[in-house]
């Protein structure tokens, strides 16, 4: 079973603060790392999918990095806004063609105005 | 595109009854996933299909759970008999995979199941 850990479990920041959270996963047999944003009463929506060591992706104020050798990914939010409040999930895929995509339990971000 | 469509959105049933959850994936996607979301365990993968073939069902809790994908546009998750501990939100998601694991998942809105 692939063990995907996210930290912190929850985070409160003030509007305008920049923040980041961590996803760690086993580095052996790694194939892909996904980040999803999950707002209350909605479904998770994909932010990024990364596969290569050193990958860095950006979407507006949100960016993510990937280190496959040490088994971690960071998600950064610059200048947090109240609408960024959500649970951020990461998921790791391993195993090649018969892969398994396993989710962490998420980081709940609350941005106070 | 309508996205991934799940039904029913909510189901309340009594212990021992059969429950069938349905999913229509996005047209053109070749992979379909069933996840269960609970407070304790987060999102757990139950089973996934690639090109309508079950690839990994190791997450299916026990024999009371079964899933089928008779064609590329429809899948069911069945629980028989249902138990109170099955109460959860069940998500279906689909993706397009070329070599495994790199396709982003598109989730349905979920089916909230309550077993009394």
């Amino acid at each position: 079973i692939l063990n995907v850990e996210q930290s912190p479990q929850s985070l409160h920041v003030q509007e305008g603060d920049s923040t980041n959270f961590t996803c760690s996963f086993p580095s052996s047999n790694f194939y892909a790392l996904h980040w999803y944003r999950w707002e209350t009463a909605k479904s998770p929506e994909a932010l990024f999918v990364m596969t290569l060591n050193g990958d860095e992706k950006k979407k507006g104020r949100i960016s993510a990095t990937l280190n496959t050798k040490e088994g971690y990914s960071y998600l950064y939010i610059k200048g947090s806004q109240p609408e960024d409040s959500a649970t951020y999930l990461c998921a790791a895929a391993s195993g090649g063609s018969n892969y398994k995509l396993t989710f962490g339990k998420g980081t709940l971000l609350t941005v106070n105005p | 595109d309508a996205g991934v469509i799940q039904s029913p959105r909510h189901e309340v049933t009594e212990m021992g009854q059969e429950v069938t959850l349905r999913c229509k994936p996005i047209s053109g996607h070749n992979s379909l996933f069933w996840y269960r979301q609970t407070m304790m365990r987060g999102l757990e993968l139950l089973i996934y299909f690639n090109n309508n073939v079950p690839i990994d069902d190791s997450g299916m809790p026990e024999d009371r759970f079964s899933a089928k994908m008779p064609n590329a546009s429809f899948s069911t998750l069945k629980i028989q008999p249902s138990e109170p501990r099955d109460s959860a939100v069940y998500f279906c998601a689909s993706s397009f995979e070329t070599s495994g694991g790199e396709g982003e998942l598109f989730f349905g809105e979920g089916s909230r199941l309550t077993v009394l």
Side-chain angles (χ1 to χ4, degrees):
Chain A
I1 297 176
L2 193 61
N3 194 27
V4 179
E5 301 282 346
Q6 291 189 246
S7 64
Q9 284 188 336
S10 63
L11 191 57
H12 289 253
V13 301
Q14 290 298 123
E15 183 175 353
D17 287 351
S18 293
T19 187
N20 65 86
F21 3 105
T22 306
C23 174
S24 61
F25 52 88
S27 54
S28 60
N29 211 21
F30 167 86
Y31 203 82
L33 192 285
H34 298 221
W35 280 100
Y36 291 82
R37 182 169 179 272
W38 193 358
E39 292 181 72
T40 303
K42 294 187 178 180
S43 305
E45 291 185 349
L47 289 171
F48 308 112
V49 179
M50 296 181 286
T51 58
L52 299 176
N53 186 45
D55 254 355
E56 183 169 343
K57 296 207 172 181
K58 188 175 181 182
K59 187 181 287 189
R61 294 179 292 98
I62 304 176
S63 61
T65 61
L66 178 65
N67 183 321
T68 62
K69 293 186 178 181
E70 295 181 43
Y72 64 83
S73 175
Y74 293 134
L75 188 79
Y76 301 90
I77 303 179
K78 184 177 178 182
S80 303
Q81 299 297 308
E83 57 265 31
D84 296 330
S85 298
T87 295
Y88 291 83
L89 296 169
C90 76
S94 67
S97 58
N98 283 358
Y99 70 95
K100 182 163 184 162
L101 189 62
T102 302
F103 279 83
K105 291 188 179 179
T107 293
L108 174 60
L109 174 67
T110 304
V111 182
N112 300 311
Chain B
D1 199 320
V4 176
I5 299 173
Q6 289 187 246
S7 64
R9 292 290 308 279
H10 302 273
E11 173 117 2
V12 180
T13 190
E14 293 188 345
M15 183 173 66
Q17 297 297 305
E18 178 179 293
V19 173
T20 299
L21 307 179
R22 297 172 178 79
C23 177
K24 177 178 167 50
I26 291 173
S27 176
H29 282 186
N30 59 5
S31 294
L32 182 141
F33 306 78
W34 283 102
Y35 282 91
R36 177 170 67 177
Q37 191 240 343
T38 62
M39 288 293 291
M40 290 294 291
R41 297 187 169 197
L43 269 175
E44 292 178 276
L45 178 65
L46 299 177
I47 185 171
Y48 83 91
F49 297 84
N50 183 259
N51 292 319
N52 312 339
V53 176
I55 302 299
D56 187 332
D57 65 354
S58 59
M60 296 286 262
E62 49 199 90
D63 292 345
R64 297 184 298 106
F65 285 68
S66 63
K68 293 182 180 179
M69 191 164 186
N71 57 61
S73 58
F74 184 65
S75 176
T76 59
L77 179 67
K78 188 173 290 188
I79 308 172
Q80 165 64 14
S82 58
E83 296 182 3
R85 60 190 166 128
D86 301 331
S87 298
V89 181
Y90 291 82
F91 284 98
C92 175
S94 70
S95 69
F96 182 75
E97 306 290 341
T98 53
S99 54
E102 84 289 0
E104 65 181 59
L105 268 59
F106 291 80
F107 284 82
E109 293 184 308
S111 294
R112 181 176 294 276
L113 173 65
T114 303
V115 184
L116 303 174

